[in-house]
Amino acid sequence: MAVRHRLIHVGPSAVWDVLEDGSRYAEWVVGTAQSEPVRGTWPQEGAAIRYEIRIGPARLANETVVRRYEEGRLLELEAKAGPLGTARISIEVRPWGEKTLVIVDEHPLQGAGGMLHNAGFEALIQLRHRTMLARLARICEGEATPDERPDRQDTAGPAEAYGAGHA
C-alpha cells in the first residue's frame, strides 16, 4: 500500500471545498484531465466522475466512483482504469491545530495494476502522491482567505514543505 501524508496550511473546510467539487478532480489528481460528474451528487456514495488520461497521443476515458464518504473526514474512491484495472484510494482529512493533515492511501484492487504491483510500482505511486498532495495544497492554500490561512512560521523544515513524509 502506498501511504503518504501532507500538512496543508489551511483548515479542513478549505480542503473539503476542493475535494467535494468533482469538476476540480483533474486539477489536483496527477495524470487526469477534464473531469466531470456523471452520476449522482459528488461526493455522495455511488456518485461518479469521468475523466481522461493522456499518454502521449492516446486518450483513455476513465471513471472514479465514491465508495465511502464521511463528510469532513474521509473520502474513499474506486478509480477504474479500463484494462489497467481498479484501485482503492482513501483520502483522510484530519484537523491539525489550525491546519489540515491529509493522508492518502492507495492500492490496486484488480486487473493489471494488481498483477504488476511490486516495490517499483509502489515507488511510482509514492511519487504520484507526492505531486498530487502538493497540487492539492497549492490549490487550497492559494484560494484561502487570510482568515482561513494560519501563520506558517511554526511549520516543520524543508522536507515537510515538499511533501516528503509518509505515514
Side-chain angles (χ1 to χ4, degrees), residues 67 78-88 107-115:
R67 295 296 180 208
E78 182 177 357
K80 299 178 179 184
L84 297 177
T86 64
R88 172 195 167 269
H107 66 269
L109 292 174
Q110 55 189 344
M115 291 185 294

Side-chain angles (χ1 to χ4, degrees), residues 128-149:
R128 180 174 172 263
H129 285 176
R130 179 184 292 180
T131 303
M132 182 177 78
L133 286 168
R135 286 181 181 182
L136 182 61
R138 188 171 47 250
I139 292 167
C140 296
E141 293 168 1
E143 293 177 358
T145 65
D147 291 343
E148 294 173 321
R149 193 172 176 162

Side-chain angles (χ1 to χ4, degrees), residues 5-166:
H5 69 272
R6 175 141 184 160
L7 186 64
I8 299 180
H9 299 272
V10 295
S13 64
V15 174
W16 275 106
D17 286 347
V18 176
L19 296 178
E20 289 181 329
D21 186 347
S23 65
R24 298 190 74 182
Y25 187 80
E27 290 179 43
W28 57 274
V29 175
V30 175
T32 62
Q34 302 174 348
S35 61
E36 63 181 353
V38 292
R39 275 193 317 278
T41 303
W42 187 268
Q44 300 299 316
E45 287 184 21
I49 56 171
R50 183 182 356 228
Y51 55 91
E52 187 175 87
I53 294 178
R54 296 177 185 164
I55 304 169
R59 294 172 187 238
L60 305 168
N62 292 313
E63 183 177 279
T64 293
V65 179
V66 177
R67 295 296 180 208
R68 189 169 164 214
Y69 171 66
E70 295 176 23
E71 187 174 357
R73 192 182 96 62
L74 182 70
L75 181 61
E76 287 191 359
L77 308 171
E78 182 177 357
K80 299 178 179 184
L84 297 177
T86 64
R88 172 195 167 269
I89 304 163
S90 175
I91 304 167
E92 185 178 350
V93 175
R94 294 182 187 173
W96 202 260
E98 295 178 332
K99 301 170 186 139
T100 305
L101 181 63
V102 178
I103 303 166
V104 177
D105 172 359
E106 177 177 352
H107 66 269
L109 292 174
Q110 55 189 344
M115 291 185 294
L116 298 174
H117 192 237
N118 58 32
F121 191 68
E122 192 82 10
L124 290 174
I125 293 173
Q126 287 286 346
L127 290 172
R128 180 174 172 263
H129 285 176
R130 179 184 292 180
T131 303
M132 182 177 78
L133 286 168
R135 286 181 181 182
L136 182 61
R138 188 171 47 250
I139 292 167
C140 296
E141 293 168 1
E143 293 177 358
T145 65
D147 291 343
E148 294 173 321
R149 193 172 176 162
D151 183 12
R152 292 185 65 169
Q153 292 178 346
D154 65 341
T155 62
E160 181 270 336
Y162 295 101
H166 61 276

